[in-house]
């Protein structure tokens, strides 16, 4: 583990070794490190030294470091080391990392690279590239061991030994039948504790949690929440084992699923980090803000329709932010409960009606409490009973509407096979702004005239 | 894996076996299932049958099922099976689950239970209960294997064999010196591929990622993002190995950390799921809404201070929601970038200033673009150039203020060792509402008078 205090020393050590041209020592120093620590040291180097480091590290080390840097930085790195070395590094990458990277490659370069790659790997990568992003097919790796299930423990040990260097940190062997169909799994611990002449069939675990190439990332994450496994075998539609999803790939998928939801909540903060340049960060955020600006004009034009009412009782404006804000908040509360619930459970029609009914009761309780409270406050503050009734009555109605919108919109999205989390933020806020302003001013116009 | 279609059949099978009093078959049926699937079947049973099932399942199966149900439901289950069986089940639970459960126990019952438990386990659990929640000390288990590092591979195999049933799904052995200090780790795969007479010292991995009992959950999650490991050894302050955090416990920690952030964004949706009763859900949500109601009154009273200005130009009200909304949104965008960045990196003073400067430039670009746009729209719509200048100028200023608030507030919270994510939602929205309304109406009063 690298700490901030250590980092400076390590960085200086690298620069020194570069100056003195002690490239073997440099390689040795990096080989002992974990990918994340390598990447931190690399990123703390001044640009000039970074390039020099890349030219002098061997391909295996660069490939290892690449596991822990993002795709944009990977492309940048590959650009710096020149096409020949880049291709050597790429050939050493794990197939799921390589696939993600190659998807960003220009077609010409891609074809050329795949031609140079060894045939088995090239054809594996070609199939992977065709799977849609965020499906098991594009997340899997071919660095697992499978063996026919009529083999013995000793066969398995020998096969593991012959492939040890090539393996990812998986702790299971997968067993297949003659057609390649996944039939079971055996852990190294079980192999260790079994007689070498025991048949694998007799010690294997038959009920394997597995997915097909077209399983979506969100479903993989759901499985990970429910069952404990540290690697997930992937089969094609016929049950033939074609890949494995590693533990760190699953952790990454889990983070991305939760961070996607989070990103949707806060509208488009994705792909902006501490290093993004101001102009790029601004350009990435602006589209959303401009859309929100036009959405804000909708509220404005609703209010303008009630200009007459507002001119008569300017005090109505005082409660506008409160009513719109409360409606938005109650909607977001419902939405959070529903979105999280839908991520964890699959629900049927009966459950949907039960949920909507529950939220309706909740909104009645919340609406009447808050409505009563604000009408008393408004009456005392402005000394106008009618205003109190208008504000309280409106809040009561808008809280019910807001809660229902926050419940029903994500369910509709879910039923249309869309991600319910996209309803978060702007969509729900806009709908509720419009609902609440129309309700508020309609009641006010009616009662105060 | 259990599907919705299968579930009904399985539930009926359980009810049938209960009716026919085929309790052995029932136990056999459950033993083959994974904890999550057991819990789903149990929860789909009518209450009466659920209780009958609990009375007839053996303790080991109940303990296994308990891994996948929440603490409240665990306590309910234990209440249903009576104190004697409950204690037997508890004694079989993994220490991290047991500790979490016992923390909710009344002191008298706790003392009594610990007295009945076997001494080694009882003292382990007693120490764990004293560690603060969300530290490694309260997440760890004692179901790991450690062996002195001067032993041979064969010794390790024999020790594993003798403890195989008791182990959690870990794939490593931990090596310690004579004082119990963690010195390295060996995977079962390495054991399998080594000569039985090889010394463990020669094949062990020395650079182990480990934490101490007082390491916080968020730091464990940070390590998990950076390094690939499937179990994490825990030591005391002297480096003595005292526990291990399992893979599924880490996944749970990761989910809780992200879900905590998520919960803060949407204000208090925690502990409300699809099954929560309306009155309980309403009571849990109301406190927040009432606070937000009073916060809304702050906006109201600011607007009321400018009643005179508003009476003169009612059209000012049309742009109120837009300006407040946009300010809130730009603040939330900055905040999301900062909160996520802080979760992933530790930052120093230099980085803070760089970040604030970056966000300032971003806000200048965003502010001038949106300000110019809205002033043109306002001028065309209302045919009033002054109104255009007021609205555009205000939006320019409030977007800068909003962005800065969204950047600086989470950094201050972070520096005060508070969780920056608490700034999300209400806090940032309120601050930005107040900023934007004061700015807007001050400029309007100045210019339009």
């Amino acid at each position: 583990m690298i700490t901030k205090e250590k980092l400076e020393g390590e960085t200086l050590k690298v620069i020194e070794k570069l100056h003195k041209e002690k490239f073997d020592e440099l390689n040795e120093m990096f080989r002992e490190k974990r990918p994340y620590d390598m990447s931190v040291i690399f990123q703390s180097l001044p640009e000039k030294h970074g390039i020099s480091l890349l030219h002098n590290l061997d391909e295996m080390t660069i490939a290892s470091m690449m596991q822990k840097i993002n795709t944009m930085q990977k492309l940048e790195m590959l650009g710096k080391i020149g096409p020949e070395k880049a291709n050597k590094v790429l050939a050493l990458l794990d197939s799921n990392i390589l696939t993600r990277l190659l998807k960003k490659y220009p077609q010409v370069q891609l074809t050329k690279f795949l031609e140079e790659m060894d045939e088995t790997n090239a054809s594996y990568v070609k199939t992977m590239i065709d799977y849609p992003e965020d499906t098991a097919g594009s997340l899997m790796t071919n660095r697992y061991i499978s063996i026919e299930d009529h083999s013995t423990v000793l066969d398995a040990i020998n096969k593991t030994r012959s492939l040890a260097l090539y393996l990812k940190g998986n702790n299971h062997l997968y067993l297949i039948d003659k057609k390649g169909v996944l039939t079971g799994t055996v852990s190294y611990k079980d192999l260790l504790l079994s007689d070498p002449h025991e048949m694998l069939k007799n010690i294997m675990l038959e009920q394997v949690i597995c997915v097909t190439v077209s399983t979506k990332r969100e479903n993989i994450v759901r499985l990970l929440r429910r069952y404990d496994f540290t690697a997930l075998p992937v089969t094609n539609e016929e049950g033939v084992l074609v890949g494995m999803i590693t533990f760190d790939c699953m952790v990454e998928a889990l983070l991305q699923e939760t961070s996607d939801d989070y990103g949707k909540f806060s509208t488009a903060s994705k792909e902006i980090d501490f290093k993004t340049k101001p102009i790029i960060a601004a350009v990435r955020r602006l589209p959303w803000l401009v859309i929100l600006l036009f959405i804000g004009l909708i509220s404005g034009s609703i209010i303008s329709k009630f200009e007459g009412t507002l001119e008569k009782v300017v005090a109505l404006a005082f409660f506008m932010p409160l009513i719109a804000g409360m409606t938005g908040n109650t909607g977001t509360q419902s939405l959070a409960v529903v979105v999280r619930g839908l991520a964890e459970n699959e629900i049927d029609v009966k459950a949907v009606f039960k949920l909507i009914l529950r939220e309706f009761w909740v909104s009645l309780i919340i609406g009447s409490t808050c409505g009563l409270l604000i009408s008393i406050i408004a009456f005392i503050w402005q000394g106008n009973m009618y205003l109190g009734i208008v504000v309280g009555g409106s809040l009561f109605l808008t809280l019910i509407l807001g809660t229902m919108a926050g419940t029903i919109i994500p369910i509709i999205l879910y039923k249309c096979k869309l991600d319910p989390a996209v309803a978060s933020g702007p969509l729900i806020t806009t709908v509720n702004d419009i609902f609440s302003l129309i309700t508020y001013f309609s009641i006010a116009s009616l009662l105060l005239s």
Side-chain angles (χ1 to χ4, degrees), chain A residues 86-147:
Chain A
N87 280 1
K88 278 186 199 161
V89 170
L90 286 174
L92 290 167
L93 286 178
D94 194 3
S95 57
N96 62 338
I97 296 174
L98 180 60
T99 309
R100 217 179 311 159
L101 203 54
L102 291 181
K103 280 187 178 174
K104 310 254 170 188
Y105 254 51
Q107 191 60 43
V108 191
Q109 241 177 300
L110 181 64
T111 321
K112 192 155 170 284
F113 169 71
L114 289 175
E115 270 168 16
E116 283 173 20
M117 205 175 174
D118 89 272
E119 222 169 296
T120 335
N121 271 329
S123 81
Y124 193 80
V125 166
K126 264 186 225 161
T127 352
M128 278 186 75
I129 289 180
D130 290 337
Y131 290 117
E133 234 171 302
D134 303 349
T135 60
S138 77
L139 298 171
M140 65 193 188
T141 166
N142 54 357
R143 304 201 178 178
Y144 60 90
I145 301 184
S146 61
I147 187 166

Side-chain angles (χ1 to χ4, degrees), chain A residues 209-220:
Chain A
I209 304 268
C210 71
V211 294
T212 68
V213 282
S214 57
T215 304
K216 286 212 167 161
R217 193 175 63 184
E218 59 180 273
N219 289 323
I220 296 171

Side-chain angles (χ1 to χ4, degrees), chain A residues 34-84:
Chain A
R34 292 169 187 273
Y36 174 79
D37 294 339
M38 292 185 202
S39 76
V40 171
I41 296 174
F42 170 71
Q43 281 164 1
S44 76
L45 286 172
E47 171 125 15
K48 182 181 79 170
H49 293 106
I51 295 176
S52 163
L53 178 69
L54 289 178
H55 280 293
N56 291 300
L57 282 183
D58 59 41
E59 289 86 7
M60 196 66 197
T61 310
I62 297 178
S64 173
M65 174 158 75
M66 280 214 172
Q67 290 172 39
K68 289 290 170 183
I69 60 177
N70 69 35
T71 307
M72 287 310 295
Q73 291 169 317
K74 276 188 201 121
L75 288 172
E76 221 174 276
M77 263 170 86
L78 291 171
K80 283 176 187 161
I81 57 179
E84 200 176 328

Side-chain angles (χ1 to χ4, degrees), chain A residues 420-438:
Chain A
V422 297
S424 331
L427 179 55
I428 193 80
T429 313
T430 310
V431 170
N432 280 344
D433 267 5
I434 294 171
F435 273 171
S436 62
L437 288 173
I438 293 178

Side-chain angles (χ1 to χ4, degrees), chain A residues 243-402:
Chain A
M244 174 191 88
I245 300 177
T246 60
F247 166 68
D248 46 310
C249 188
M250 285 191 291
V251 168
E252 207 181 294
L254 182 64
L255 282 168
Q256 287 210 303
E257 280 294 317
T258 46
S259 130
D260 270 10
D261 287 355
Y262 192 78
K264 280 166 211 147
F265 253 72
S266 55
T267 63
S269 65
K270 265 201 283 185
E271 306 199 355
I272 299 176
D273 61 26
F274 284 7
K275 285 177 196 140
T276 313
K277 294 211 175 70
I279 180 80
I280 294 170
V283 167
R284 283 188 186 152
R285 287 191 212 168
L286 261 176
W288 260 118
L289 288 172
V290 172
I291 292 171
L292 290 168
L293 190 146
F294 282 97
I295 289 173
L297 286 174
I298 301 176
S299 305
S301 67
I302 292 171
I303 304 171
S304 76
K305 294 271 178 299
F306 296 95
E307 194 170 353
T309 315
L310 198 55
E311 264 173 354
K312 265 185 253 163
V313 191
V314 174
L316 282 173
F318 307 168
F319 297 95
M320 254 170 51
L322 186 147
I323 288 184
M326 293 282 289
T327 312
N329 273 304
T330 187
T332 309
Q333 283 189 341
S334 292
L335 190 124
V337 173
V338 176
V339 169
R340 189 179 310 163
L342 290 174
E344 283 163 17
N345 314 288
E346 286 149 77
I347 62 168
D348 53 21
V349 180
K350 212 179 104 193
V352 165
F353 278 104
K354 243 175 103 176
L355 179 68
I356 294 176
L357 195 68
R358 202 273 306 268
E359 288 298 306
F360 179 70
W361 284 112
V362 169
S363 70
L364 274 187
I365 301 171
I366 286 176
S368 41
T369 315
C370 293
L372 193 67
L373 196 61
I374 196 65
S375 60
I376 295 169
I377 294 172
F379 171 61
I380 295 172
W381 183 17
Q382 296 290 320
N384 181 337
M385 200 184 69
Y386 288 110
L387 187 70
I389 294 172
V390 168
V391 175
S394 305
L395 191 62
F396 173 71
L397 278 180
T398 59
L399 287 182
I400 294 175
L401 284 173

